[in-house]
């Protein structure tokens, strides 16, 4: 599960929110806001790969948004402001694993492509298990007073 608050100020380009490992054509994953739709996108490369960008996740540049992406072993879920906005069969079995000796967890910058996020990021968390819809909703409700 990746969860947090963002308020992007740059639009129309692919920018990382959080990356883990060397996600671009190597082993790792990334959650980023990308393309002209300003939509969330999740990418994982490893022994299998997944790349999903639901068009319904366009994010405002004027209001902070609570975002979450979680995978329960078979399905990938996108949340905005505590509500599921898209889901996909992930095509991956089990959990995402990372076997490199020196993993890199990087917020707001992509060292591979040289891009960076501009705007506000807050309350980011990366968890080794899938949050339930109730847990995502509770995280949103517990933290929204800081951003709304």
């Amino acid at each position: 599960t990746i969860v947090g608050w963002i308020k992007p100020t740059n639009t129309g380009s692919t920018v990382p929110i959080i990356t883990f490992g060397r996600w671009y054509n190597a082993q790792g994953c990334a959650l980023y806001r990308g393309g002209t739709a300003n939509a969330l996108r999740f990418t994982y490369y490893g022994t299998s790969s997944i790349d999903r960008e639901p068009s319904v996740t366009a994010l405002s540049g004027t209001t902070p948004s609570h975002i979450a992406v979680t995978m329960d072993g078979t399905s990938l879920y996108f949340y905005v402001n505590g509500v599921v906005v898209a889901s996909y069969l992930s095509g991956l079995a089990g959990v995402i694993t990372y076997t490199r000796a020196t993993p890199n967890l990087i917020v707001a910058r992509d060292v591979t492509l040289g891009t960076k996020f501009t705007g506000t990021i807050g309350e980011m968390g990366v968890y080794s298990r899938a949050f339930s819809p109730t847990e995502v909703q509770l995280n949103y409700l517990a933290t929204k007073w800081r951003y709304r």
Side-chain angles (χ1 to χ4, degrees):
T1 298
I2 301 171
V3 63
W5 285 87
I6 66 167
K7 181 182 172 189
T9 56
N10 52 344
T11 59
S13 61
T14 299
V15 293
I17 299 167
I18 193 162
T19 63
F20 185 72
R22 188 171 177 267
W23 69 272
Y24 187 74
N25 290 330
Q27 187 181 29
C29 64
L31 176 62
Y32 53 104
R33 194 204 35 83
T36 55
N38 296 318
L40 288 178
R41 185 175 194 146
F42 178 80
T43 301
Y44 168 76
Y45 288 103
T47 54
S48 298
S49 64
I50 185 171
D51 187 10
R52 297 287 186 266
E53 180 180 349
S55 60
V56 295
T57 62
L59 301 172
S60 168
T62 59
T63 305
S65 298
H66 180 269
I67 59 168
V69 174
T70 186
M71 192 180 87
D72 66 7
T74 58
S75 296
L76 179 70
Y77 301 92
F78 288 82
Y79 295 81
V80 175
N81 297 328
V83 176
V84 174
V85 294
S87 64
Y88 299 93
L89 289 176
S90 70
L92 301 174
V95 298
I96 292 176
T97 57
Y98 190 79
T99 58
R100 290 191 178 213
T102 55
N104 300 313
L105 179 66
I106 301 171
V107 177
R109 185 167 168 258
D110 180 351
V111 296
T112 304
L113 298 178
T115 56
K116 63 182 180 177
F117 180 93
T118 58
T120 305
I121 295 179
E123 307 284 332
M124 288 305 296
V126 178
Y127 299 87
S128 62
R129 64 177 184 82
F131 276 19
S132 69
T134 301
E135 289 174 302
V136 172
Q137 178 71 24
L138 289 173
N139 183 276
Y140 165 70
L141 293 173
T143 57
K144 78 175 188 174
W145 66 273
R146 292 181 181 108
Y147 303 96
R148 294 278 172 123

